[in-house]
Amino acid sequence: MTESILTTKDLRKTFGEFEAVKGISFSILRGEIFSLLGPNGAGKTTTINMLSCLIEATGGTAEIAGHAIPGDTLNVRRAIGVVPQEIALYDALSARDNLRFWGRLYGMSGRELDRRIDEVLAQVGLSDRARDAVKTFSGGMKRRINIAAGLLHRPQLLFMDEPTVGIDPQSRRRILDMVQELRREGMTVLYTTHYMEEAEELSDRVGIIDQGRLIALGTQDELKKVVGEQETLRLHLAEEAAAAVSSVAGSNGDVAPESGGPIALFSNLPGVLGASAEDHTILVNVADAGEALPGVVGRANDLGLRVRSIDIQEPNLEAVFLHLTGRGLRD
Amino acid sequence: MNKILIIMWKDISLLWRDRTALILVIAGPLALTLGMGLVTGSFNRSDDAPAVSEIPVAIVDHDDGELAQPLIDLFTGPDLSDLVSAEVWEDEAAALEEVRAGRVAAVIVIPDGFSQSFVPDMTTGDSPAPVALQVYGDPGSPIRAGIVRSIAEEFTARAETGVTTIRLSLTELATSGAVPPEQLPDVGRALSEGLLTGDASTSTSGLIRVRTETAAAGDDDQGFNLLSYFAPAMALLFLMYAVTLGARTLLSERREGTLARMLAAPVTPGQVLGGKVAGIFLGGFIQMAVLILLTTVMFRLNWGNPLGVLLLVAAAALAATGWGLLIASLSSNDSQISAMGMALTLIFGIVSGSFIPGQSFGPVMNAAARLTPNRWALDGFMSLAAGDGLAGIAAPVAALSVMAVVLFVASAMLMRRRQTDLLTG
């Protein structure tokens, strides 16, 4: 894993006045799984679209498998496989006919194509549904065929843009296992996600992206060093966290909702470094869990938050993001 | 080129699997053609006869004068034998009962004094009070009754022209002094006899020729067949709808992400657009070809020279594809394409006269009709059905080709201006 298959230098993209990507530079080594982790709207899909030659970069350059962007776009497209965020398949065609169409676009044909279709269908566990129209598939099955279409021509580098969005946990598990299998086969993958757990489970290295900037890059251990010995207290509430915080903030005269939500509620406690809300959980980033815990629990009780349980979590990518941006990944 | 064919074939496969659309673009025009045939009485006849020919006509002669006979001869003579089948009836009431029962398409009643009403007073030059020819039509066969009425009207118009000519001649002879006033009645009588006998027959011969040309829609005894008009008219109407469906896939593919996925493959934007355009064209072409085949079998229509039909279908599908692309290049989403396409389909159908054969809305609308592929293609199909060869469709094919080129260029320019938007959203 020493040779770079992808290198970007100061890659930028603006849409009118809006600067979606603000000069991103990173490399991906052959055989590694590299995750771009960031919240929705951070610039992940725009970056993939530039690297897939779908949109022109406003500035900067990139090189994929020795082919330059801009310049050698056709060879770049031959080298990459793309699994788009949306399910880009033809509902009326069967799984096999879909794969046959996409394979042909990559110059495959005849027995070689048929054999390869059989392989990828087996890989995604849908051999028995090959002849069925995609419209009869569940969301998770469609996602798997979506991935199969990207793998068909054995790309040197596979872009997977949030491949688990909107599917059930079982299908998500299956897709994550599939990516692990790809790693074992030596496939290089650029994986974008806003799920911290996916990036942690899959990635050799992670780039954390926020508001168009790459704010951190490295292995998970390297990134976790950024937050030092910080820990995270996870307060599981009986109700949806953002709503609870909002109602508390509304009834509490000295904490206005616009002042920053959970951060405003807990940040003045000793040892608290930051806080964010996620689903039914409030995440409180602390220097020492043992020291901060009584104060945090007391504040929650004072505010009338119905805490059902508390976890203490070792440093993770969520904490890294919180540390770097002051916000949670899903804020 | 290979990538273009791959994308085109994919679109045809999708069209084939879209049973609703397929039924609409094939069954729709067939049903409308069938409906038009029933409304116009084209199916009232026995199985083996052409749809509009040998129109049953009853003639009741109360006049028995010099103009009545040429009129009867006109309807019963050999020149119109393919188009009308006329019989002289003695009993007017019985004849009228026949038309009420739908057994004859029209009854012509020649009233007493009809011939004399054309003879001017030889001393004053004044015409007697007009005695109108009466034509009773079967409301169930308006087109066939209309054909009979128009033949009768042209006959009387020719007779009136003759009377006017005699009156002008007498006036000229009187004022120039070429004929003494006392001889004018004799000259007038001589001219009138010419009108009522020899000249009238010459006039009706002219009339017969006009009708013979119209009736000779096919030169294989097919006769004048309104289905020969409605079948291509309805097929062309739905061709516009079919290309709209095809053009809509340009934007639906953008919405669903398949267009972006194609562009992420080693395919140029030109190949993607080329494949889509080829798919739209081939879809329209196949639709027309299938309809031609079905109407040939089901309605026994003769479309004419096969090579000419092939060329004309290709040119029409190409021009319609141009319109489809223009709509796609002007629309932001597939709903807009559907709405614009439906509107254009109907407007083109009305302006081009697809619903009413031989209609004329005046010079402005006629000029507007020339902007529609329907009108040009209909002209071509009528020409082929009339037995013309390839030369007969040269103008329509050329016009449709020019239309296609202009629309393709315009669409390409519009798409280039908003390429990022169109291809990647």
Side-chain angles (χ1 to χ4, degrees):
Chain A
M1 287 211 311
T2 51
E3 186 195 350
S4 290
I5 192 167
L6 178 151
T7 308
T8 72
K9 285 182 186 164
D10 198 27
L11 210 55
R12 295 170 183 276
K13 182 65 187 178
T14 56
F15 296 103
E17 296 293 307
F18 175 66
E19 200 172 3
V21 176
K22 301 168 181 171
I24 282 183
S25 301
F26 65 95
S27 294
I28 298 178
L29 305 177
R30 272 191 195 276
E32 78 171 337
I33 295 185
F34 182 97
S35 289
L36 271 180
L37 175 67
N40 291 328
K44 303 185 296 289
T45 299
T46 304
T47 302
I48 290 233
N49 283 345
M50 284 190 283
L51 295 174
S52 312
C53 311
L54 279 176
I55 55 174
E56 281 183 31
T58 311
T61 59
E63 190 177 288
I64 294 177
H67 307 294
I69 300 173
D72 200 359
T73 55
L74 273 183
N75 280 324
V76 167
R77 287 172 180 160
R78 283 191 188 98
I80 63 170
V82 179
V83 179
Q85 193 169 336
E86 55 278 295
I87 297 166
L89 299 169
Y90 298 101
D91 261 2
L93 298 183
S94 68
R96 180 174 289 279
D97 285 345
N98 262 287
L99 294 174
R100 188 172 283 130
F101 169 70
W102 294 112
R104 281 176 179 163
L105 280 192
Y106 282 88
M108 303 172 79
S109 61
R111 287 184 182 173
E112 179 214 1
L113 176 58
D114 287 338
R115 204 165 33 240
R116 184 59 186 152
I117 289 172
D118 289 339
E119 283 174 13
V120 292
L121 281 170
Q123 203 167 358
V124 300
L126 287 170
S127 298
D128 56 335
R129 300 294 301 272
R131 291 177 184 277
D132 296 342
V134 167
K135 64 184 168 196
T136 64
F137 287 10
S138 69
M141 290 159 77
K142 286 178 182 177
R143 285 260 169 222
R144 279 143 66 189
I145 294 292
N146 207 31
I147 293 171
L151 292 171
L152 204 58
H153 63 288
R154 294 190 179 87
Q156 296 183 55
L157 171 61
L158 181 67
F159 295 155
M160 300 182 83
D161 190 10
E162 308 232 23
T164 61
V165 166
I167 56 171
D168 59 277
Q170 194 182 357
S171 298
R172 185 181 182 197
R173 181 69 260 156
R174 186 146 199 165
I175 288 174
L176 294 180
D177 289 346
M178 204 186 299
V179 179
Q180 297 278 26
E181 180 63 31
L182 290 175
R183 179 218 296 277
R184 282 191 284 278
E185 290 174 4
M187 174 78 75
T188 312
V189 178
L190 169 55
Y191 189 98
T192 75
T193 182
H194 63 269
Y195 296 121
M196 178 268 301
E197 322 83 73
E198 289 186 6
E200 282 193 336
E201 179 180 337
L202 299 174
S203 315
D204 295 306
R205 289 192 305 142
V206 178
I208 297 180
I209 185 170
D210 184 48
Q211 295 180 350
R213 291 185 200 285
L214 198 61
I215 57 176
L217 174 65
T219 63
Q220 293 185 49
D221 286 343
E222 285 167 349
L223 290 174
K224 286 170 187 172
K225 281 180 187 164
V226 171
V227 292
E229 297 305 314
Q230 289 177 16
E231 293 168 307
T232 304
L233 298 176
R234 300 174 70 91
L235 280 68
H236 300 285
L237 306 185
E239 55 193 320
E240 209 271 317
V245 168
S246 159
S247 78
V248 166
S251 64
N252 189 329
D254 59 357
V255 185
E258 63 272 16
S259 66
I263 300 172
L265 298 179
F266 294 97
S267 63
N268 60 350
L269 293 173
V272 171
L273 305 169
S276 66
E278 178 187 304
D279 299 334
H280 286 67
T281 308
I282 290 178
L283 310 171
V284 185
N285 205 18
V286 297
D288 184 304
E291 281 182 15
L293 186 60
V296 170
V297 172
R299 174 61 58 86
N301 283 335
D302 292 345
L303 295 170
L305 295 173
R306 292 187 295 158
V307 180
R308 305 178 86 170
S309 64
I310 299 174
D311 291 338
I312 299 173
Q313 194 171 54
E314 295 292 308
N316 60 17
L317 293 176
E318 177 75 43
V320 174
F321 191 84
L322 194 62
H323 175 79
L324 291 172
T325 65
R327 291 177 288 108
L329 269 167
R330 296 179 212 177
D331 283 355
Chain B
M1 188 63 190
N2 189 31
K3 302 280 171 71
I4 291 175
L5 295 179
I6 291 167
I7 295 168
M8 179 192 78
W9 184 248
K10 179 262 301 172
D11 275 0
I12 295 300
S13 302
L14 286 172
L15 178 67
W16 176 248
R17 284 167 172 79
D18 188 350
R19 295 297 152 93
T20 311
L22 215 56
I23 288 170
L24 197 65
V25 298
I26 299 295
L30 276 181
L32 274 177
T33 304
L34 198 68
M36 291 290 192
L38 291 169
V39 166
T40 56
S42 299
F43 293 112
N44 285 353
R45 291 193 38 75
S46 64
D47 296 339
D48 294 331
V52 176
S53 63
E54 299 181 26
I55 301 167
V57 178
I59 303 173
V60 181
D61 183 11
H62 296 310
D63 177 44
D64 203 22
E66 292 90 337
L67 262 184
Q69 195 53 49
L71 180 59
I72 292 167
D73 290 344
L74 170 63
F75 275 95
T76 56
D79 290 319
L80 283 183
S81 61
D82 283 343
L83 182 61
V84 293
S85 171
E87 280 182 35
V88 178
W89 285 59
E90 296 296 328
D91 187 346
E92 181 179 340
L96 290 176
E97 190 51 42
E98 288 296 294
V99 78
R100 280 191 205 99
R103 287 188 286 272
V104 298
V107 173
I108 300 171
V109 178
I110 308 171
D112 186 22
F114 173 71
S115 298
Q116 283 307 310
S117 71
F118 283 85
V119 181
D121 187 317
M122 296 310 160
T123 44
T124 63
D126 293 335
S127 295
V131 176
L133 195 67
Q134 293 158 356
V135 180
Y136 299 90
D138 173 12
S141 302
I143 300 291
R144 297 195 299 169
I147 291 169
V148 174
R149 184 177 292 112
S150 69
I151 294 171
E153 282 172 354
E154 283 200 43
F155 178 89
T156 53
R158 295 298 292 264
E160 278 169 359
T161 305
V163 170
T164 306
T165 307
I166 291 167
R167 192 182 298 124
L168 286 172
S169 302
L170 289 174
T171 307
E172 183 62 26
L173 290 170
T175 50
S176 65
V179 177
E182 63 277 13
Q183 291 180 14
L184 281 174
D186 296 332
V187 174
R189 263 188 290 277
L191 288 171
S192 297
E193 281 169 13
L195 165 70
L196 297 176
T197 55
D199 288 353
S201 83
T202 306
S203 299
T204 54
S205 292
L207 191 60
I208 291 163
R209 277 201 295 275
V210 171
R211 286 296 154 192
T212 304
E213 285 166 13
T214 310
D219 53 4
D220 59 350
D221 292 325
Q222 188 84 348
F224 179 70
N225 193 339
L226 282 173
L227 290 182
S228 296
Y229 185 88
F230 285 126
M234 295 302 113
L236 289 162
L237 191 75
F238 278 78
L239 170 67
M240 280 304 299
Y241 184 71
V243 299
T244 299
L245 285 179
R248 204 174 63 175
T249 65
L250 261 174
L251 296 196
S252 61
E253 289 222 39
R254 184 189 75 177
R255 175 168 45 77
E256 287 159 13
T258 45
L259 194 58
R261 188 168 211 163
M262 275 193 263
L263 289 165
V267 182
T268 64
Q271 286 174 319
V272 172
L273 279 176
K276 296 296 297 176
V277 170
I280 297 168
F281 165 77
L282 191 62
F285 184 91
I286 291 173
Q287 181 224 6
M288 286 289 291
V290 168
L291 282 170
I292 287 170
L293 213 63
L294 288 177
T295 50
T296 304
V297 174
M298 291 170 64
F299 305 142
R300 303 186 63 219
L301 287 185
N302 177 14
W303 288 77
N305 183 311
L307 182 60
V309 171
L310 209 65
L311 280 172
L312 199 55
V313 168
L318 210 58
T321 301
W323 279 107
L325 282 180
L326 190 69
I327 293 171
S329 62
L330 291 171
S331 303
S332 305
N333 54 57
D334 38 346
S335 304
Q336 273 184 12
I337 291 192
S338 295
M340 285 173 69
M342 183 60 82
L344 208 64
T345 298
L346 288 175
I347 290 168
F348 280 8
I350 293 165
V351 169
S352 65
S354 295
F355 301 103
I356 307 166
Q359 73 175 26
S360 176
F361 291 139
V364 175
M365 288 295 273
N366 286 338
R370 292 295 164 199
L371 293 175
T372 71
N374 309 51
R375 183 67 259 161
W376 285 106
L378 259 178
D379 284 353
F381 282 121
M382 289 299 94
S383 181
L384 288 172
D388 291 347
L390 293 180
I393 58 161
V397 167
L400 289 166
S401 304
V402 169
M403 188 182 290
V405 169
V406 169
L407 291 169
F408 275 41
V409 170
S411 306
M413 287 167 71
L414 283 167
M415 284 182 184
R416 188 167 297 172
R417 279 174 61 182
R418 43 182 299 215
Q419 183 173 356
T420 302
D421 181 42
L422 183 70
L423 295 181
T424 65

